[in-house]
Short mmCIF file of all heavy atoms in Angstrom, two decimals:
data_model
loop_
_atom_site.label_atom_id
_atom_site.label_comp_id
_atom_site.label_asym_id
_atom_site.label_seq_id
_atom_site.Cartn_x
_atom_site.Cartn_y
_atom_site.Cartn_z
N MET A 77 68.95 88.55 105.63
CA MET A 77 69.86 87.62 104.99
C MET A 77 71.05 88.35 104.38
O MET A 77 72.17 87.92 104.50
CB MET A 77 69.11 86.82 103.93
CG MET A 77 69.97 85.75 103.33
SD MET A 77 70.44 84.53 104.55
CE MET A 77 70.25 83.06 103.64
N ALA A 78 70.79 89.49 103.75
CA ALA A 78 71.88 90.23 103.12
C ALA A 78 72.84 90.79 104.16
O ALA A 78 74.02 90.90 103.92
CB ALA A 78 71.31 91.36 102.27
N ARG A 79 72.33 91.11 105.34
CA ARG A 79 73.19 91.64 106.39
C ARG A 79 74.16 90.59 106.90
O ARG A 79 75.32 90.88 107.16
CB ARG A 79 72.31 92.15 107.52
CG ARG A 79 73.03 92.97 108.51
CD ARG A 79 72.07 93.64 109.44
NE ARG A 79 72.74 94.74 110.08
CZ ARG A 79 72.29 95.38 111.11
NH1 ARG A 79 71.11 95.04 111.61
NH2 ARG A 79 72.95 96.35 111.65
N ASP A 80 73.70 89.35 107.06
CA ASP A 80 74.58 88.27 107.47
C ASP A 80 75.64 87.99 106.41
O ASP A 80 76.78 87.72 106.73
CB ASP A 80 73.77 86.99 107.76
CG ASP A 80 72.85 87.16 108.96
OD1 ASP A 80 73.18 87.97 109.84
OD2 ASP A 80 71.81 86.49 108.99
N SER A 81 75.23 88.07 105.18
CA SER A 81 76.18 87.84 104.09
C SER A 81 77.25 88.92 104.06
O SER A 81 78.42 88.62 103.86
CB SER A 81 75.42 87.81 102.76
OG SER A 81 76.32 87.68 101.70
N CYS A 82 76.86 90.16 104.31
CA CYS A 82 77.81 91.26 104.34
C CYS A 82 78.77 91.10 105.51
O CYS A 82 79.98 91.29 105.37
CB CYS A 82 77.07 92.58 104.42
SG CYS A 82 78.13 94.02 104.30
N LEU A 83 78.26 90.74 106.66
CA LEU A 83 79.10 90.53 107.84
C LEU A 83 80.07 89.38 107.61
O LEU A 83 81.24 89.46 107.99
CB LEU A 83 78.23 90.25 109.06
CG LEU A 83 78.97 90.04 110.38
CD1 LEU A 83 79.74 91.30 110.75
CD2 LEU A 83 78.01 89.66 111.47
N ALA A 84 79.61 88.34 106.95
CA ALA A 84 80.48 87.20 106.65
C ALA A 84 81.59 87.61 105.68
O ALA A 84 82.74 87.18 105.83
CB ALA A 84 79.66 86.05 106.05
N ARG A 85 81.26 88.45 104.71
CA ARG A 85 82.28 88.91 103.76
C ARG A 85 83.33 89.78 104.43
O ARG A 85 84.52 89.66 104.17
CB ARG A 85 81.63 89.71 102.64
CG ARG A 85 80.95 88.87 101.61
CD ARG A 85 80.46 89.75 100.49
NE ARG A 85 79.78 88.96 99.47
CZ ARG A 85 79.39 89.44 98.33
NH1 ARG A 85 79.58 90.72 98.05
NH2 ARG A 85 78.78 88.68 97.46
N VAL A 86 82.89 90.68 105.30
CA VAL A 86 83.83 91.55 106.02
C VAL A 86 84.71 90.73 106.94
O VAL A 86 85.93 90.93 107.01
CB VAL A 86 83.07 92.65 106.79
CG1 VAL A 86 84.01 93.43 107.69
CG2 VAL A 86 82.37 93.59 105.82
N THR A 87 84.13 89.77 107.64
CA THR A 87 84.90 88.90 108.53
C THR A 87 85.92 88.09 107.74
O THR A 87 87.07 87.95 108.18
CB THR A 87 83.95 87.95 109.29
OG1 THR A 87 82.98 88.73 109.98
CG2 THR A 87 84.72 87.12 110.29
N ALA A 88 85.52 87.58 106.62
CA ALA A 88 86.45 86.83 105.77
C ALA A 88 87.56 87.74 105.25
O ALA A 88 88.73 87.34 105.19
CB ALA A 88 85.71 86.19 104.60
N GLY A 89 87.23 88.97 104.90
CA GLY A 89 88.23 89.92 104.44
C GLY A 89 89.25 90.24 105.53
O GLY A 89 90.46 90.28 105.27
N VAL A 90 88.77 90.43 106.75
CA VAL A 90 89.68 90.69 107.87
C VAL A 90 90.57 89.48 108.13
O VAL A 90 91.78 89.62 108.36
CB VAL A 90 88.89 91.08 109.13
CG1 VAL A 90 89.78 91.11 110.35
CG2 VAL A 90 88.22 92.43 108.94
N ALA A 91 90.00 88.29 108.07
CA ALA A 91 90.79 87.07 108.32
C ALA A 91 91.86 86.86 107.25
O ALA A 91 93.02 86.55 107.57
CB ALA A 91 89.85 85.87 108.39
N VAL A 92 91.48 87.02 106.01
CA VAL A 92 92.44 86.84 104.91
C VAL A 92 93.53 87.93 104.98
O VAL A 92 94.71 87.65 104.80
CB VAL A 92 91.73 86.84 103.54
CG1 VAL A 92 92.72 86.92 102.40
CG2 VAL A 92 90.87 85.61 103.41
N GLY A 93 93.12 89.15 105.24
CA GLY A 93 94.08 90.24 105.36
C GLY A 93 95.04 90.03 106.52
O GLY A 93 96.23 90.29 106.42
N GLY A 94 94.52 89.54 107.64
CA GLY A 94 95.37 89.25 108.79
C GLY A 94 96.37 88.15 108.51
O GLY A 94 97.54 88.23 108.89
N ALA A 95 95.91 87.11 107.83
CA ALA A 95 96.82 86.00 107.49
C ALA A 95 97.89 86.44 106.51
O ALA A 95 99.08 86.14 106.68
CB ALA A 95 96.02 84.84 106.92
N LEU A 96 97.48 87.17 105.50
CA LEU A 96 98.44 87.65 104.51
C LEU A 96 99.42 88.65 105.12
O LEU A 96 100.63 88.58 104.90
CB LEU A 96 97.71 88.29 103.33
CG LEU A 96 98.57 88.84 102.21
CD1 LEU A 96 99.31 87.69 101.53
CD2 LEU A 96 97.72 89.59 101.21
N GLY A 97 98.90 89.57 105.91
CA GLY A 97 99.75 90.55 106.57
C GLY A 97 100.71 89.91 107.57
O GLY A 97 101.86 90.33 107.70
N GLY A 98 100.25 88.88 108.27
CA GLY A 98 101.12 88.18 109.19
C GLY A 98 102.27 87.47 108.49
O GLY A 98 103.41 87.51 108.95
N ALA A 99 101.97 86.87 107.37
CA ALA A 99 103.02 86.18 106.61
C ALA A 99 104.04 87.17 106.05
O ALA A 99 105.25 86.97 106.17
CB ALA A 99 102.39 85.38 105.46
N VAL A 100 103.55 88.25 105.48
CA VAL A 100 104.46 89.26 104.93
C VAL A 100 105.26 89.92 106.05
O VAL A 100 106.46 90.15 105.93
CB VAL A 100 103.67 90.32 104.12
CG1 VAL A 100 104.54 91.50 103.76
CG2 VAL A 100 103.08 89.68 102.88
N GLY A 101 104.60 90.20 107.17
CA GLY A 101 105.28 90.82 108.31
C GLY A 101 106.35 89.93 108.91
O GLY A 101 107.40 90.41 109.33
N ALA A 102 106.09 88.63 108.95
CA ALA A 102 107.09 87.70 109.49
C ALA A 102 108.33 87.65 108.60
O ALA A 102 109.46 87.67 109.09
CB ALA A 102 106.49 86.31 109.64
N VAL A 103 108.11 87.61 107.31
CA VAL A 103 109.25 87.59 106.37
C VAL A 103 110.02 88.89 106.43
O VAL A 103 111.25 88.91 106.54
CB VAL A 103 108.76 87.30 104.93
CG1 VAL A 103 109.87 87.51 103.92
CG2 VAL A 103 108.19 85.90 104.83
N TYR A 104 109.31 90.01 106.41
CA TYR A 104 109.96 91.31 106.45
C TYR A 104 110.66 91.55 107.79
O TYR A 104 111.76 92.08 107.84
CB TYR A 104 108.95 92.41 106.17
CG TYR A 104 109.57 93.79 106.13
CD1 TYR A 104 110.37 94.16 105.06
CD2 TYR A 104 109.34 94.71 107.14
CE1 TYR A 104 110.95 95.41 105.01
CE2 TYR A 104 109.92 95.96 107.10
CZ TYR A 104 110.72 96.31 106.04
OH TYR A 104 111.29 97.55 106.00
N GLY A 105 110.01 91.16 108.88
CA GLY A 105 110.62 91.32 110.20
C GLY A 105 111.88 90.50 110.36
O GLY A 105 112.86 90.97 110.95
N THR A 106 111.88 89.29 109.84
CA THR A 106 113.08 88.46 109.90
C THR A 106 114.20 89.08 109.08
O THR A 106 115.35 89.14 109.53
CB THR A 106 112.76 87.04 109.38
OG1 THR A 106 111.69 86.49 110.15
CG2 THR A 106 113.96 86.14 109.47
N TYR A 107 113.87 89.55 107.91
CA TYR A 107 114.87 90.20 107.06
C TYR A 107 115.47 91.43 107.75
O TYR A 107 116.69 91.60 107.79
CB TYR A 107 114.23 90.59 105.73
CG TYR A 107 115.09 91.49 104.88
CD1 TYR A 107 116.23 91.01 104.25
CD2 TYR A 107 114.78 92.83 104.74
CE1 TYR A 107 117.03 91.84 103.48
CE2 TYR A 107 115.57 93.67 103.99
CZ TYR A 107 116.69 93.16 103.35
OH TYR A 107 117.48 94.00 102.61
N GLU A 108 114.62 92.26 108.31
CA GLU A 108 115.10 93.47 108.97
C GLU A 108 115.91 93.15 110.22
O GLU A 108 116.90 93.81 110.50
CB GLU A 108 113.91 94.36 109.35
CG GLU A 108 113.27 95.05 108.18
CD GLU A 108 114.14 96.15 107.60
OE1 GLU A 108 114.70 96.94 108.37
OE2 GLU A 108 114.26 96.18 106.37
N ALA A 109 115.50 92.14 110.98
CA ALA A 109 116.23 91.78 112.19
C ALA A 109 117.63 91.28 111.85
O ALA A 109 118.60 91.59 112.56
CB ALA A 109 115.47 90.71 112.97
N ILE A 110 117.75 90.54 110.78
CA ILE A 110 119.07 90.05 110.36
C ILE A 110 119.88 91.19 109.74
O ILE A 110 121.08 91.33 110.02
CB ILE A 110 118.91 88.88 109.37
CG1 ILE A 110 118.33 87.67 110.10
CG2 ILE A 110 120.24 88.53 108.73
CD1 ILE A 110 117.91 86.54 109.19
N ARG A 111 119.23 92.02 108.95
CA ARG A 111 119.93 93.12 108.28
C ARG A 111 120.53 94.11 109.27
O ARG A 111 121.67 94.55 109.12
CB ARG A 111 118.96 93.84 107.36
CG ARG A 111 119.57 94.99 106.62
CD ARG A 111 118.54 95.63 105.72
NE ARG A 111 119.09 96.82 105.08
CZ ARG A 111 118.36 97.78 104.58
NH1 ARG A 111 117.05 97.69 104.60
NH2 ARG A 111 118.92 98.83 104.03
N TYR A 112 119.74 94.47 110.30
CA TYR A 112 120.22 95.46 111.27
C TYR A 112 120.90 94.83 112.47
O TYR A 112 121.22 95.53 113.43
CB TYR A 112 119.06 96.35 111.72
CG TYR A 112 118.59 97.27 110.63
CD1 TYR A 112 117.28 97.20 110.15
CD2 TYR A 112 119.44 98.19 110.05
CE1 TYR A 112 116.85 98.04 109.15
CE2 TYR A 112 119.02 99.04 109.04
CZ TYR A 112 117.72 98.95 108.60
OH TYR A 112 117.30 99.78 107.59
N LYS A 113 121.10 93.52 112.42
CA LYS A 113 121.81 92.78 113.47
C LYS A 113 121.25 93.06 114.86
O LYS A 113 121.96 93.46 115.77
CB LYS A 113 123.31 93.10 113.42
CG LYS A 113 123.93 92.65 112.12
CD LYS A 113 125.39 92.96 112.05
CE LYS A 113 125.90 92.48 110.71
NZ LYS A 113 127.04 93.19 110.22
N VAL A 114 119.94 92.84 114.99
CA VAL A 114 119.27 93.00 116.28
C VAL A 114 119.81 91.91 117.21
O VAL A 114 119.83 90.74 116.85
CB VAL A 114 117.74 92.89 116.12
CG1 VAL A 114 117.05 92.99 117.45
CG2 VAL A 114 117.23 93.95 115.16
N PRO A 115 120.25 92.27 118.42
CA PRO A 115 120.91 91.30 119.29
C PRO A 115 119.94 90.33 119.98
O PRO A 115 118.83 90.71 120.37
CB PRO A 115 121.61 92.17 120.32
CG PRO A 115 120.83 93.43 120.36
CD PRO A 115 120.28 93.61 118.98
N GLY A 116 120.37 89.09 120.12
CA GLY A 116 119.75 88.07 120.95
C GLY A 116 118.25 87.90 120.83
O GLY A 116 117.70 87.78 119.74
N LEU A 117 117.61 87.87 121.99
CA LEU A 117 116.17 87.62 122.04
C LEU A 117 115.34 88.81 121.56
O LEU A 117 114.13 88.68 121.38
CB LEU A 117 115.75 87.24 123.46
CG LEU A 117 116.23 85.87 123.94
CD1 LEU A 117 115.83 85.64 125.38
CD2 LEU A 117 115.68 84.77 123.05
N LEU A 118 115.97 89.93 121.38
CA LEU A 118 115.24 91.07 120.83
C LEU A 118 114.79 90.81 119.39
O LEU A 118 113.86 91.45 118.91
CB LEU A 118 116.09 92.34 120.90
CG LEU A 118 116.33 92.91 122.29
CD1 LEU A 118 117.24 94.11 122.22
CD2 LEU A 118 115.02 93.28 122.95
N LYS A 119 115.46 89.87 118.72
CA LYS A 119 115.03 89.49 117.36
C LYS A 119 113.61 88.96 117.38
O LYS A 119 112.79 89.30 116.53
CB LYS A 119 115.97 88.43 116.77
CG LYS A 119 117.27 88.97 116.30
CD LYS A 119 118.10 87.86 115.70
CE LYS A 119 119.48 88.41 115.40
NZ LYS A 119 120.45 87.39 115.12
N ILE A 120 113.32 88.10 118.35
CA ILE A 120 111.99 87.50 118.43
C ILE A 120 110.94 88.58 118.69
O ILE A 120 109.87 88.58 118.09
CB ILE A 120 111.96 86.41 119.53
CG1 ILE A 120 112.90 85.28 119.14
CG2 ILE A 120 110.54 85.90 119.75
CD1 ILE A 120 113.12 84.27 120.20
N ARG A 121 111.27 89.50 119.58
CA ARG A 121 110.35 90.60 119.86
C ARG A 121 110.13 91.47 118.63
O ARG A 121 109.01 91.86 118.31
CB ARG A 121 110.90 91.43 121.01
CG ARG A 121 110.02 92.57 121.40
CD ARG A 121 110.60 93.32 122.57
NE ARG A 121 109.80 94.49 122.86
CZ ARG A 121 110.18 95.46 123.63
NH1 ARG A 121 111.35 95.42 124.21
NH2 ARG A 121 109.40 96.48 123.83
N TYR A 122 111.19 91.77 117.92
CA TYR A 122 111.12 92.62 116.73
C TYR A 122 110.29 91.94 115.65
O TYR A 122 109.42 92.57 115.03
CB TYR A 122 112.53 92.92 116.22
CG TYR A 122 112.55 93.90 115.08
CD1 TYR A 122 112.45 95.26 115.31
CD2 TYR A 122 112.66 93.46 113.76
CE1 TYR A 122 112.46 96.16 114.27
CE2 TYR A 122 112.68 94.36 112.72
CZ TYR A 122 112.57 95.71 112.97
OH TYR A 122 112.58 96.59 111.93
N ILE A 123 110.54 90.66 115.43
CA ILE A 123 109.78 89.92 114.41
C ILE A 123 108.31 89.85 114.81
O ILE A 123 107.41 90.02 113.97
CB ILE A 123 110.38 88.52 114.21
CG1 ILE A 123 111.78 88.63 113.59
CG2 ILE A 123 109.47 87.66 113.33
CD1 ILE A 123 112.56 87.34 113.60
N GLY A 124 108.03 89.62 116.08
CA GLY A 124 106.64 89.57 116.55
C GLY A 124 105.92 90.89 116.38
O GLY A 124 104.75 90.93 115.95
N GLN A 125 106.58 91.98 116.71
CA GLN A 125 105.97 93.30 116.55
C GLN A 125 105.69 93.59 115.08
O GLN A 125 104.62 94.12 114.73
CB GLN A 125 106.88 94.39 117.11
CG GLN A 125 106.90 94.46 118.60
CD GLN A 125 107.87 95.51 119.11
OE1 GLN A 125 108.74 95.96 118.38
NE2 GLN A 125 107.71 95.89 120.37
N THR A 126 106.62 93.25 114.22
CA THR A 126 106.42 93.49 112.80
C THR A 126 105.28 92.63 112.25
O THR A 126 104.45 93.10 111.47
CB THR A 126 107.72 93.19 112.03
OG1 THR A 126 108.78 93.93 112.60
CG2 THR A 126 107.59 93.56 110.56
N THR A 127 105.23 91.38 112.69
CA THR A 127 104.18 90.47 112.24
C THR A 127 102.80 90.96 112.66
O THR A 127 101.88 91.03 111.85
CB THR A 127 104.43 89.06 112.80
OG1 THR A 127 105.71 88.61 112.35
CG2 THR A 127 103.36 88.09 112.34
N LEU A 128 102.65 91.31 113.94
CA LEU A 128 101.34 91.74 114.43
C LEU A 128 100.92 93.08 113.83
O LEU A 128 99.75 93.27 113.48
CB LEU A 128 101.35 91.82 115.95
CG LEU A 128 101.45 90.48 116.67
CD1 LEU A 128 101.51 90.69 118.18
CD2 LEU A 128 100.27 89.60 116.32
N GLY A 129 101.86 93.99 113.71
CA GLY A 129 101.52 95.28 113.11
C GLY A 129 101.10 95.16 111.66
O GLY A 129 100.11 95.77 111.24
N SER A 130 101.81 94.36 110.91
CA SER A 130 101.49 94.17 109.51
C SER A 130 100.15 93.44 109.36
O SER A 130 99.33 93.78 108.49
CB SER A 130 102.61 93.39 108.83
OG SER A 130 102.37 93.26 107.46
N ALA A 131 99.91 92.45 110.20
CA ALA A 131 98.64 91.71 110.15
C ALA A 131 97.46 92.63 110.47
O ALA A 131 96.41 92.56 109.82
CB ALA A 131 98.67 90.53 111.11
N ALA A 132 97.64 93.50 111.45
CA ALA A 132 96.55 94.41 111.82
C ALA A 132 96.24 95.40 110.70
O ALA A 132 95.07 95.63 110.38
CB ALA A 132 96.94 95.16 113.10
N ILE A 133 97.26 95.94 110.08
CA ILE A 133 97.04 96.92 109.01
C ILE A 133 96.41 96.26 107.79
O ILE A 133 95.44 96.77 107.22
CB ILE A 133 98.36 97.62 108.65
CG1 ILE A 133 98.84 98.48 109.81
CG2 ILE A 133 98.22 98.46 107.40
CD1 ILE A 133 97.90 99.61 110.18
N PHE A 134 96.96 95.11 107.37
CA PHE A 134 96.39 94.42 106.20
C PHE A 134 94.95 94.00 106.48
O PHE A 134 94.08 94.13 105.62
CB PHE A 134 97.23 93.18 105.86
CG PHE A 134 98.35 93.43 104.91
CD1 PHE A 134 99.41 94.23 105.25
CD2 PHE A 134 98.36 92.83 103.66
CE1 PHE A 134 100.46 94.45 104.38
CE2 PHE A 134 99.40 93.05 102.78
CZ PHE A 134 100.45 93.86 103.13
N GLY A 135 94.70 93.49 107.68
CA GLY A 135 93.35 93.06 108.03
C GLY A 135 92.37 94.22 108.03
O GLY A 135 91.24 94.10 107.56
N LEU A 136 92.82 95.36 108.57
CA LEU A 136 91.96 96.54 108.61
C LEU A 136 91.59 96.99 107.19
O LEU A 136 90.41 97.22 106.89
CB LEU A 136 92.68 97.67 109.33
CG LEU A 136 91.96 99.02 109.34
CD1 LEU A 136 90.78 98.96 110.31
CD2 LEU A 136 92.91 100.12 109.72
N PHE A 137 92.58 97.09 106.32
CA PHE A 137 92.29 97.59 104.98
C PHE A 137 91.50 96.59 104.14
O PHE A 137 90.62 96.99 103.37
CB PHE A 137 93.58 97.99 104.27
CG PHE A 137 94.12 99.30 104.74
CD1 PHE A 137 95.37 99.39 105.32
CD2 PHE A 137 93.38 100.45 104.62
CE1 PHE A 137 95.86 100.60 105.77
CE2 PHE A 137 93.85 101.68 105.05
CZ PHE A 137 95.11 101.75 105.63
N LEU A 138 91.78 95.32 104.28
CA LEU A 138 91.01 94.34 103.50
C LEU A 138 89.57 94.25 104.03
O LEU A 138 88.63 94.08 103.25
CB LEU A 138 91.69 92.97 103.53
CG LEU A 138 91.51 92.14 102.27
CD1 LEU A 138 92.04 92.89 101.07
CD2 LEU A 138 92.21 90.83 102.40
N GLY A 139 89.41 94.38 105.35
CA GLY A 139 88.06 94.40 105.92
C GLY A 139 87.29 95.63 105.47
O GLY A 139 86.10 95.56 105.14
N ALA A 140 87.95 96.79 105.46
CA ALA A 140 87.29 98.02 105.01
C ALA A 140 86.94 97.93 103.52
O ALA A 140 85.85 98.36 103.11
CB ALA A 140 88.21 99.22 105.26
N GLY A 141 87.83 97.36 102.74
CA GLY A 141 87.53 97.18 101.32
C GLY A 141 86.35 96.25 101.10
O GLY A 141 85.52 96.48 100.22
N SER A 142 86.28 95.20 101.91
CA SER A 142 85.15 94.28 101.79
C SER A 142 83.84 94.96 102.21
O SER A 142 82.80 94.71 101.62
CB SER A 142 85.38 93.06 102.69
OG SER A 142 86.51 92.34 102.27
N LEU A 143 83.92 95.82 103.20
CA LEU A 143 82.72 96.55 103.65
C LEU A 143 82.24 97.52 102.57
O LEU A 143 81.04 97.62 102.30
CB LEU A 143 83.03 97.31 104.94
CG LEU A 143 81.86 98.07 105.57
CD1 LEU A 143 80.77 97.10 106.00
CD2 LEU A 143 82.35 98.88 106.74
N ILE A 144 83.16 98.21 101.95
CA ILE A 144 82.80 99.14 100.88
C ILE A 144 82.21 98.37 99.69
O ILE A 144 81.21 98.76 99.11
CB ILE A 144 84.02 99.98 100.44
CG1 ILE A 144 84.39 100.95 101.56
CG2 ILE A 144 83.73 100.73 99.14
CD1 ILE A 144 85.73 101.63 101.34
N HIS A 145 82.84 97.27 99.36
CA HIS A 145 82.38 96.47 98.23
C HIS A 145 81.04 95.80 98.53
O HIS A 145 80.24 95.57 97.61
CB HIS A 145 83.41 95.40 97.89
CG HIS A 145 83.09 94.60 96.68
ND1 HIS A 145 83.15 95.13 95.41
CD2 HIS A 145 82.70 93.32 96.54
CE1 HIS A 145 82.79 94.20 94.55
NE2 HIS A 145 82.52 93.09 95.20
N CYS A 146 80.78 95.53 99.79
CA CYS A 146 79.53 94.86 100.18
C CYS A 146 78.30 95.74 99.92
O CYS A 146 77.23 95.23 99.66
CB CYS A 146 79.62 94.52 101.67
SG CYS A 146 78.37 93.41 102.24
N GLY A 147 78.46 97.04 99.97
CA GLY A 147 77.34 97.94 99.76
C GLY A 147 76.95 98.12 98.31
O GLY A 147 75.89 98.63 98.00
N LYS A 148 77.79 97.70 97.40
CA LYS A 148 77.51 97.87 95.96
C LYS A 148 76.61 96.74 95.47
O LYS A 148 76.79 95.60 95.82
CB LYS A 148 78.80 97.87 95.16
CG LYS A 148 79.67 99.06 95.43
CD LYS A 148 80.90 99.02 94.56
CE LYS A 148 81.78 100.23 94.82
NZ LYS A 148 82.99 100.21 94.03
N SER A 149 75.66 97.10 94.65
CA SER A 149 74.81 96.08 94.03
C SER A 149 74.99 96.18 92.52
O SER A 149 75.01 97.25 91.93
CB SER A 149 73.36 96.30 94.40
OG SER A 149 72.93 97.57 93.99
N TYR A 150 75.13 95.03 91.91
CA TYR A 150 75.37 95.00 90.47
C TYR A 150 74.15 94.53 89.73
O TYR A 150 73.41 93.73 90.06
CB TYR A 150 76.55 94.08 90.16
CG TYR A 150 77.84 94.61 90.71
CD1 TYR A 150 78.43 94.03 91.83
CD2 TYR A 150 78.48 95.69 90.12
CE1 TYR A 150 79.61 94.52 92.35
CE2 TYR A 150 79.66 96.19 90.62
CZ TYR A 150 80.22 95.60 91.73
OH TYR A 150 81.39 96.09 92.23
#
């Protein structure tokens, strides 16, 4: 039972981190694309790359944090 609970916590951490990272990455990518005047359809590609990269990193770290925290007993 504790193993399923730990897996559920890590999965939730990855999901929340991915959602948060995606939102931050989309805002930052849009800002950077406008700031550096990325031409035409390359803006969409740039924003997409920033969004996915940020979502992956945030998800990884929040999932790892949840895994570390899952092993602690209080």
